[in-house]
């Protein structure tokens, strides 16, 4: 009898215990979804907050927010508040016209607040309460500003070594200085041809092209690149803390228009027959399948009429061909739609190291436009695609959610719902946050199944702005849980436009 019991244990009980142990390891070590709570703080700036909120540790061990905007008499302001002690600003600065932009970054082992002014980058010293020179550098911002001071990401890690570097645009191209391990800066390199010059109606303007990074030359170093129409310009990283300023030019055989063709179409808008016109351009270049090689997402827009459009997105995976990256003409994945897809979000939803996609979709036709004008309501679909094990996407979305965008024909105001994908419970899976009412957020937590998100939602009351794009995600206390930073504009009222709301996940 004892022998039979032992056999039963070996055959049934032991495997069951092993299975249960494996399941326990897969379960998140976080609170149940029903216990999702936020610790809320409201920070009053005393001026209209008109710029995205920056987060850093600028003084001591605290976490701080940097706010930018203007007073009622249109003076530009920059202020810094401690999230845990928000009653008084650590810094309240009237930004003169010589200060053009600001950013936060870590150079030399500590976070700092930086400013650009003509000819140099400045740093705010919290000990002496002074703005001191950090480094001289030429930029495209060669004179004092006439408008708003804005945040620009000119202090950031661009070569993947977890050290923030300096990258600022100039008329000749980006000027780059890499940070060394000892906190000093390497020699400046100008990425030739990485800016764009436009001449129109006798006026000349310069703009910086989107800068992308990744391993593109087969030497395990992270390189930089910009795209110019149907070409990719690659600036190889060199072993001595700098980049090659002269680019390698790769022809992209992806059916793209050249810059000249794009300019002709733009200048001829209204004179060219749009019916049946197809435009294909690059949407983004980034590593999607986790191999550190940049991949290309292109968008093709088909015009069937002024109010009848549809588009598709095509993914072309990057592959090394000798010492250069290459992309096949035939796409590795096609995301086609009978409507108009826009606003792609690329995130790793399921924690497998590959980026998945969120696409917003609306149906566009003359009849639908008329119905939307009459009802003041546009139906918006959210399509979620998980990248498969063979680095592609299914024809149909793995998960679909629906919401609405409301607008007033009379006032012109638009109410855009807040939609974010982030990890609120620190289990390694992305959760779906979606606004379901004017002052209500719904949370659907990520699951390890095909449909990505749990059917049951947790709802929380939050004072929300009319523009959901003003709701942003930060990990404010660096605990792995997503937190919310909410700002408001004048459509939400005079008092709310001068405050931000910080919700830290408990």
């Amino acid at each position: 009898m004892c022998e039979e019991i032992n056999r039963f244990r070996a055959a049934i009980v032991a495997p069951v215990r092993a299975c249960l142990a494996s399941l326990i390891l897969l379960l998140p070590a976080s609170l149940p979804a029903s216990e999702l709570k936020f610790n809320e703080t409201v920070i009053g700036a005393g001026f209209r907050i008109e710029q995205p909120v920056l987060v850093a540790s600028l003084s001591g061990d605290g976490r701080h927010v940097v706010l930018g905007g203007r007073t009622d008499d249109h003076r530009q302001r920059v202020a810094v508040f401690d999230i845990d002690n928000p009653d008084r600003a650590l810094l309240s600065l009237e930004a003169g016209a010589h200060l053009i932009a600001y950013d936060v970054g870590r150079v030399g082992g500590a976070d700092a607040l930086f400013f650009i002014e003509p000819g140099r980058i400045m740093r705010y010293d919290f000990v002496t309460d002074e703005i001191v020179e950090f480094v001289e550098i030429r930029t495209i911002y060669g004179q004092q500003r006439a408008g708003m001071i804005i945040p620009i990401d000119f202090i950031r890690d661009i070569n993947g070594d977890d050290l923030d570097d300096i990258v600022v645009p100039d008329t000749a191209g980006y000027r780059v200085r890499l940070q060394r391990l000892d906190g000093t800066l390497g020699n400046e390199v100008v990425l030739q041809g990485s800016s764009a010059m436009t001449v129109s109606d006798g006026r000349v303007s310069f703009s910086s092209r989107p800068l992308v990074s990744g391993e593109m030359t087969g030497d395990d170093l992270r390189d930089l690149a910009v795209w110019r129409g149907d070409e990719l310009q690659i600036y190889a990283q060199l072993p001595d803390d700098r980049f090659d300023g002269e680019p390698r030019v790769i022809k992209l055989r992806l059916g793209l228009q050249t810059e000249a063709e794009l300019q002709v179409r733009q200048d001829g808008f209204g004179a060219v027959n749009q019916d049946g016109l197809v435009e294909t351009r690059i949407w983004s270049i980034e590593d999607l399948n986790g191999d550190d090689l940049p991949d290309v997402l292109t968008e093709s827009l088909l015009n069937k009429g002024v109010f009848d459009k549809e588009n598709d997105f095509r993914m072309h995976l990057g592959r090394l061909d000798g010492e250069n990256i290459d992309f096949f003409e035939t796409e590795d994945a096609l995301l086609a739609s009978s409507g108009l897809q826009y606003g792609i979000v690329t995130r790793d939803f399921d924690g497998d190291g590959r980026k998945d996609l969120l696409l917003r979709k609306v149906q566009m036709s003359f009849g639908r436009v008329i119905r939307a004008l009459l009802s003041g309501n546009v139906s918006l679909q959210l399509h979620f695609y998980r990248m498969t094990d063979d680095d592609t996407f299914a024809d149909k979305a793995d998960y679909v959610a629906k919401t609405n965008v409301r607008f007033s024909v009379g006032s012109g105001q638009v109410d855009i719902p807040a939609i974010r994908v982030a990890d609120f419970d620190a289990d390694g899976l992305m959760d779906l946050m979606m606004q379901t009412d004017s002052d209500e957020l719904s949370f659907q937590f990520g699951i390890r199944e095909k449909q990505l998100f749990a059917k049951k939602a947790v709802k929380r009351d939050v004072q929300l702005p009319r523009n959901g794009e003003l709701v942003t995600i930060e990990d404010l206390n660096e605990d792995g849980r997503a937190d919310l930073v909410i700002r408001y504009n004048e459509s939400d009222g005079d008092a709310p436009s001068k405050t931000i709301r910080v919700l830290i996940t408990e």
Side-chain angles (χ1 to χ4, degrees):
M1 183 67 176
C2 291
E3 184 178 352
E4 293 297 323
I5 292 175
N6 290 333
R7 287 178 180 176
F8 176 78
R9 286 175 176 169
I12 303 296
V13 176
V16 168
R17 284 179 175 172
C19 182
L20 287 174
S22 300
L23 288 174
I24 290 172
L25 290 175
L26 290 174
L27 290 174
S30 56
L31 292 174
S34 59
E35 297 185 20
L36 176 67
K37 296 180 181 178
F38 294 105
N39 181 15
E40 181 176 301
T41 300
V42 178
I43 300 175
F47 57 85
R48 287 187 176 86
I49 303 167
E50 299 179 322
Q51 305 300 336
V53 178
L54 304 185
V55 178
S57 295
L58 297 172
S59 178
D61 297 328
R63 294 289 283 173
H64 307 98
V65 290
V66 183
L67 311 179
R70 62 178 174 86
T71 61
D72 291 338
D73 55 357
H74 301 284
R75 290 178 296 168
Q76 294 295 301
R77 305 289 298 186
V78 174
V80 176
F81 287 86
D82 189 321
I83 295 173
D84 295 324
N85 300 284
D87 295 335
R88 186 176 63 87
L90 296 178
L91 167 67
S92 185
L93 171 70
E94 182 176 342
H98 64 290
L99 298 178
I100 299 162
Y102 59 95
D103 193 14
V104 294
R106 176 165 293 192
V107 180
D111 288 354
L113 173 61
F114 295 93
F115 294 89
I116 287 181
E117 66 175 39
R120 55 186 181 171
I121 294 176
M122 312 295 289
R123 177 179 59 82
Y124 182 79
D125 189 325
F126 280 86
V127 176
T128 64
D129 192 26
E130 293 179 324
I131 298 178
V132 297
E133 182 177 298
F134 176 65
V135 65
E136 291 186 0
I137 191 167
R138 287 184 55 184
T139 71
I140 201 170
Y141 316 109
Q143 54 185 307
Q144 294 188 355
R145 60 175 170 79
M148 299 182 295
I149 185 171
I150 60 174
I152 296 176
D153 194 12
F154 58 89
I155 306 287
R156 66 182 191 268
D157 177 20
I158 59 170
N159 63 335
D161 61 359
D162 295 324
L163 298 173
D164 283 346
D165 312 300
I166 295 178
V167 49
V168 294
D170 194 15
T171 55
Y174 284 100
R175 294 181 180 270
V176 177
R177 297 188 69 174
L178 296 181
Q179 183 179 177
R180 302 187 182 102
L181 289 174
D182 62 2
T184 61
L185 297 173
N187 295 329
E188 178 185 271
V189 172
V190 180
L191 306 184
Q192 299 291 335
S194 56
S195 64
M197 183 182 74
T198 303
V199 181
S200 179
D201 296 329
R203 296 189 299 268
V204 179
S205 61
F206 292 87
S207 60
S208 52
R209 304 177 191 277
L211 189 64
V212 298
S213 66
E215 214 285 83
M216 291 176 264
T217 56
D219 57 2
D220 294 326
L221 294 175
R222 187 177 294 268
D223 311 301
L224 298 177
V226 299
W227 69 84
R228 302 184 60 169
D230 61 344
E231 294 180 345
L232 186 67
Q233 295 186 172
I234 300 173
Y235 305 88
Q237 185 178 172
L238 304 176
D240 54 350
D241 297 312
R242 65 187 180 94
F243 291 93
D244 189 346
E246 293 292 333
R248 308 179 188 182
V249 179
I250 306 296
K251 195 75 172 179
L252 298 173
R253 305 177 306 277
L254 306 178
L256 303 166
Q257 279 77 41
T258 64
E259 283 193 327
E261 290 172 329
L262 290 172
Q263 189 64 46
V264 167
R265 290 192 177 183
Q266 181 177 334
D267 293 343
F269 183 79
V272 177
N273 182 5
Q274 302 289 310
D275 186 20
L277 184 66
V278 178
E279 297 183 27
T280 301
R281 63 183 66 198
I282 289 177
W283 175 271
S284 69
I285 300 180
E286 62 179 304
D287 178 20
L288 295 173
N289 63 343
D291 62 357
D292 203 35
L293 301 177
D295 310 307
V296 177
L297 274 177
T298 65
E299 178 191 17
S300 293
L301 176 65
L302 171 61
N303 295 277
K304 296 182 177 180
V306 176
F307 296 108
D308 194 359
K309 304 176 186 292
E310 63 183 47
N311 64 346
D312 62 50
F313 290 92
R314 299 167 191 263
M315 180 182 70
H316 300 264
L317 295 176
R319 298 170 173 86
L320 279 176
D321 181 13
E323 295 183 353
N324 289 309
I325 197 168
D326 192 21
F327 305 91
F328 290 167
E329 293 183 50
T330 303
E331 68 274 2
D332 294 278
L334 170 64
L335 301 175
S337 172
S338 59
L340 193 62
Q341 304 174 108
Y342 72 99
I344 290 183
V345 176
T346 59
R347 297 293 300 274
D348 182 5
F349 298 154
D350 52 8
D352 66 352
R354 303 179 180 91
K355 288 188 178 179
D356 310 296
L357 302 180
L358 160 60
L359 282 81
R360 297 169 174 89
K361 176 181 172 182
V362 294
Q363 295 289 343
M364 289 290 292
S365 68
F366 182 77
R368 287 188 172 91
V369 170
I370 296 300
R371 288 196 294 272
L373 290 173
L374 293 175
S375 66
N377 185 70
V378 175
S379 177
L380 176 65
Q381 294 183 4
L382 309 175
H383 288 229
F384 296 83
Y385 294 85
R386 170 191 275 140
M387 182 175 280
T388 63
D389 291 338
D390 54 355
D391 295 346
T392 187
F393 296 100
D395 295 333
K396 294 184 178 181
D398 296 283
Y399 185 82
V400 177
K402 295 181 180 180
T403 186
N404 293 295
V405 176
R406 297 179 175 86
F407 62 93
S408 169
V409 177
S411 67
Q413 290 185 330
V414 180
D415 292 349
I416 302 173
I419 301 166
R420 293 291 181 268
V421 180
D423 187 359
F424 288 93
D425 55 1
D427 65 350
L429 301 176
M430 294 293 111
D431 313 308
L432 172 59
M433 184 200 81
M434 187 163 60
Q435 183 175 347
T436 49
D437 205 342
S438 59
D439 291 318
E440 182 182 78
L441 291 176
S442 170
F443 297 85
Q444 292 174 258
F445 287 82
I447 57 176
R448 298 183 187 277
E449 298 178 19
K450 179 177 172 56
Q451 64 266 32
L452 291 172
F453 306 109
K455 292 181 180 180
K456 185 177 180 181
V458 178
K459 296 185 178 181
R460 294 290 179 264
D461 292 335
V462 180
Q463 184 177 335
L464 297 168
R466 298 188 65 169
N467 180 5
E469 296 300 313
L470 300 181
V471 180
T472 57
I473 300 294
E474 297 280 354
D475 184 3
L476 294 166
N477 55 356
E478 299 181 320
D479 65 350
R481 301 168 186 259
D483 308 307
L484 299 178
V485 177
I486 304 174
R487 61 189 178 97
Y488 307 87
N489 59 28
E490 292 182 71
S491 68
D492 302 303
D494 182 66
S497 71
K498 299 176 181 179
T499 65
I500 66 166
R501 195 172 301 271
V502 176
L503 282 78
I504 298 179
T505 309
E506 294 184 349

